[in-house]
Amino acid sequence: MTELDVAGLQRRLAAFAAARDWGQYHTPKNLAVALSVEASELVEIFQWLTPQQSARVMEEPDTAHRVADEVADVLAYLLQFCAVLGVDPLAALAAKIDRNEARFPVPAPPQPENRHSSE
Amino acid sequence: MTELDVAGLQRRLAAFAAARDWGQYHTPKNLAVALSVEASELVEIFQWLTPQQSARVMEEPDTAHRVADEVADVLAYLLQFCAVLGVDPLAALAAKIDRNEARFPVPAPPQPENRHSSE
Amino acid sequence: MTELDVAGLQRRLAAFAAARDWGQYHTPKNLAVALSVEASELVEIFQWLTPQQSARVMEEPDTAHRVADEVADVLAYLLQFCAVLGVDPLAALAAKIDRNEARFPVPAPPQPENRHSSE
Amino acid sequence: MTELDVAGLQRRLAAFAAARDWGQYHTPKNLAVALSVEASELVEIFQWLTPQQSARVMEEPDTAHRVADEVADVLAYLLQFCAVLGVDPLAALAAKIDRNEARFPVPAPPQPENRHSSE
């Protein structure tokens, strides 16, 4: 039975690394670097595509699988990085959205013109 | 009240982008590229640190805040990328861990020595 | 008088780092990571642009300066990386082009149609 | 006879791409993205190495070849990016070193103690 929440996946990743004695490699620096390497592997799928082609990558099963696989790798290193440093990624994102809502206010909708506004 | 699960954060991110008419920029290609740019901003914090120094970045409040902020940016683009393409990031990671457990079997523990094995 | 060849720039970069005692940070790993961080800063300029907009970035003086500045940073770390490891970047590229010419043969041009070829 | 200067390599790269009709893919945005993808492939070689191990990568012939190959890829995309946008990479770097010499002045050497300074 697969645990499909963030904390459950972090526990599986930690157990996986511990069983293989990989913890020695998992410094925060190395995990951040590995995250960026995997993000670039995701980008590589798209690098020569037009914006329109990039919207259709899931139509081809091999490419769809490759996309999901790279997403998994990015998330794996992000969650391990967060576990090692004690960062809660969901709370960090919620706080960031809060800040961005203040920083980038929604533009007011255009007002209907009122020709008689001075009356 | 903040929704602190992945689906809830994806809804907030989608509403945020829609309110600002940013959806036009959010092609899968651009979101993957933005993810990798943010991952590099996370790496930048660590680039000149020794492995030992990298383990202590959360001790300094400004750096700790910067780390959490970049984690949020990485996760924001990862979740938006997944929403646009219909990828479930947690399911993708669970499937990847399953595959990796088969691909990288845990080494057998060393056998207890049997002094009398030749008898 | 500025030395405008690769070896001359490598000498200037080495002297610059030595005068500031930065050599201790310049492990091959750190220089490769710094190179990729700078490459991402170059990408950041383009991340939300359409292909067409990306072709016009030099028309705006501030953006043109930013592009040249990031190119310089990428090249600086590439040349320092090569100097530390004894790689000749121009020779490496020439050898790679040679290999690629064999690997990706030029497609034969379409043959002129000959209506009477069977005669 | 191989042209081993930057302009000569840029001519070879342009001819190579033109012969294969790849110019259509070589928008500045795509070339910047390809540059960052190749930079990450260079980083990948180092991602789990200690600083000490990273200094010895050229001792193993396969790894040495891989390093040179990724250096070539990074330089290839950097030079093509510069050619497409009309940036002179060597001049950009020389100008950047000039600016950095002003921005990061060399610390004054420690002064020899003068025991009789008050006399």
Side-chain angles (χ1 to χ4, degrees):
Chain A
M1 204 171 75
T2 305
E3 293 181 272
L4 262 179
D5 60 287
V6 165
L9 288 164
Q10 283 179 312
R11 277 191 296 273
R12 288 191 71 192
L13 290 164
F16 185 92
R20 286 151 188 83
D21 199 20
W22 289 357
Q24 58 185 312
Y25 304 109
H26 287 189
T27 64
K29 178 172 179 164
N30 284 359
L31 290 168
V33 167
L35 166 65
S36 89
V37 167
E38 296 300 335
S40 282
E41 293 186 5
L42 186 63
V43 168
E44 194 181 7
I45 300 172
F46 295 92
Q47 68 184 338
W48 304 120
L49 303 186
T50 64
Q52 293 73 31
Q53 290 168 330
S54 92
R56 298 196 303 268
V57 289
M58 303 309 278
E59 295 174 11
E60 209 278 300
D62 281 357
T63 311
H65 181 273
R66 203 174 148 206
V67 166
D69 199 55
E70 298 299 349
V71 163
D73 285 338
V74 169
L75 185 57
Y77 286 121
L78 181 64
L79 294 187
Q80 289 178 96
F81 174 88
C82 287
V84 164
L85 288 184
V87 174
D88 179 333
L90 301 184
L93 177 51
K96 177 84 184 222
I97 298 174
D98 290 343
R99 287 198 299 279
N100 277 349
E101 283 171 343
R103 191 177 154 207
F104 301 103
V106 176
Q111 296 303 312
E113 193 179 357
N114 183 347
R115 295 172 173 226
H116 306 289
S117 61
S118 58
E119 292 180 357
Chain B
M1 202 170 82
T2 305
E3 293 181 271
L4 261 181
D5 60 289
V6 165
L9 288 165
Q10 283 179 312
R11 278 192 295 273
R12 287 192 71 193
L13 290 164
F16 186 92
R20 286 152 189 84
D21 199 20
W22 289 357
Q24 58 185 312
Y25 304 110
H26 286 189
T27 64
K29 178 171 179 163
N30 284 359
L31 290 167
V33 166
L35 166 64
S36 91
V37 167
E38 296 301 335
S40 282
E41 292 186 6
L42 186 63
V43 169
E44 194 181 8
I45 300 173
F46 296 91
Q47 68 184 341
W48 304 119
L49 302 186
T50 64
Q52 294 72 32
Q53 290 168 330
S54 92
R56 297 196 304 267
V57 289
M58 303 307 279
E59 295 173 11
E60 209 276 300
D62 281 356
T63 310
H65 182 271
R66 202 174 148 207
V67 166
D69 199 54
E70 298 299 349
V71 163
D73 286 337
V74 168
L75 185 57
Y77 287 120
L78 181 64
L79 294 186
Q80 290 178 96
F81 175 87
C82 287
V84 164
L85 287 184
V87 174
D88 179 333
L90 301 185
L93 177 51
K96 177 85 185 221
I97 298 174
D98 290 343
R99 287 198 300 279
N100 277 348
E101 282 170 344
R103 189 176 155 207
F104 301 104
V106 176
Q111 297 303 311
E113 193 180 356
N114 182 348
R115 297 172 172 219
H116 307 289
S117 60
S118 59
E119 291 181 358
Chain C
M1 202 170 81
T2 305
E3 292 182 273
L4 261 179
D5 59 289
V6 165
L9 288 165
Q10 283 179 312
R11 278 192 295 273
R12 289 192 70 192
L13 289 164
F16 185 92
R20 286 152 188 84
D21 200 20
W22 289 357
Q24 59 186 312
Y25 303 110
H26 287 189
T27 64
K29 179 172 179 163
N30 283 359
L31 290 167
V33 166
L35 166 64
S36 89
V37 167
E38 296 301 335
S40 283
E41 293 186 5
L42 186 63
V43 168
E44 194 181 7
I45 300 172
F46 295 92
Q47 68 184 339
W48 305 119
L49 302 187
T50 64
Q52 294 73 32
Q53 290 168 331
S54 92
R56 297 196 304 268
V57 288
M58 303 307 279
E59 294 173 11
E60 208 277 300
D62 281 357
T63 311
H65 182 272
R66 203 174 148 207
V67 166
D69 200 55
E70 298 299 349
V71 163
D73 286 338
V74 169
L75 185 58
Y77 287 120
L78 181 64
L79 294 186
Q80 289 177 96
F81 175 87
C82 287
V84 164
L85 288 184
V87 174
D88 179 333
L90 301 185
L93 177 50
K96 178 84 185 222
I97 298 174
D98 290 344
R99 287 197 301 279
N100 277 348
E101 283 171 344
R103 191 176 154 206
F104 302 103
V106 175
Q111 297 303 312
E113 194 180 357
N114 182 347
R115 295 172 174 223
H116 306 288
S117 60
S118 59
E119 291 179 359
Chain D
M1 205 172 76
T2 305
E3 294 181 89
L4 262 180
D5 59 289
V6 165
L9 288 165
Q10 283 179 313
R11 278 191 296 272
R12 288 191 71 191
L13 290 164
F16 185 93
R20 286 152 187 83
D21 199 21
W22 289 357
Q24 58 186 310
Y25 304 110
H26 286 189
T27 64
K29 179 171 179 164
N30 284 359
L31 290 168
V33 166
L35 166 65
S36 90
V37 167
E38 297 300 335
S40 282
E41 293 186 6
L42 186 63
V43 168
E44 194 181 8
I45 300 172
F46 296 91
Q47 67 184 338
W48 304 120
L49 303 186
T50 63
Q52 294 72 33
Q53 291 168 329
S54 92
R56 297 195 305 269
V57 289
M58 303 308 279
E59 295 174 11
E60 209 277 300
D62 281 356
T63 311
H65 182 274
R66 203 174 149 207
V67 166
D69 200 55
E70 298 299 349
V71 162
D73 286 338
V74 168
L75 186 58
Y77 287 121
L78 182 64
L79 294 187
Q80 289 178 97
F81 174 88
C82 287
V84 164
L85 287 184
V87 174
D88 179 333
L90 301 185
L93 176 51
K96 178 83 184 221
I97 298 174
D98 290 344
R99 286 198 299 279
N100 277 349
E101 283 171 343
R103 190 176 154 207
F104 301 103
V106 176
Q111 295 304 312
E113 193 179 356
N114 182 347
R115 297 174 171 220
H116 306 290
S117 61
S118 59
E119 292 181 358

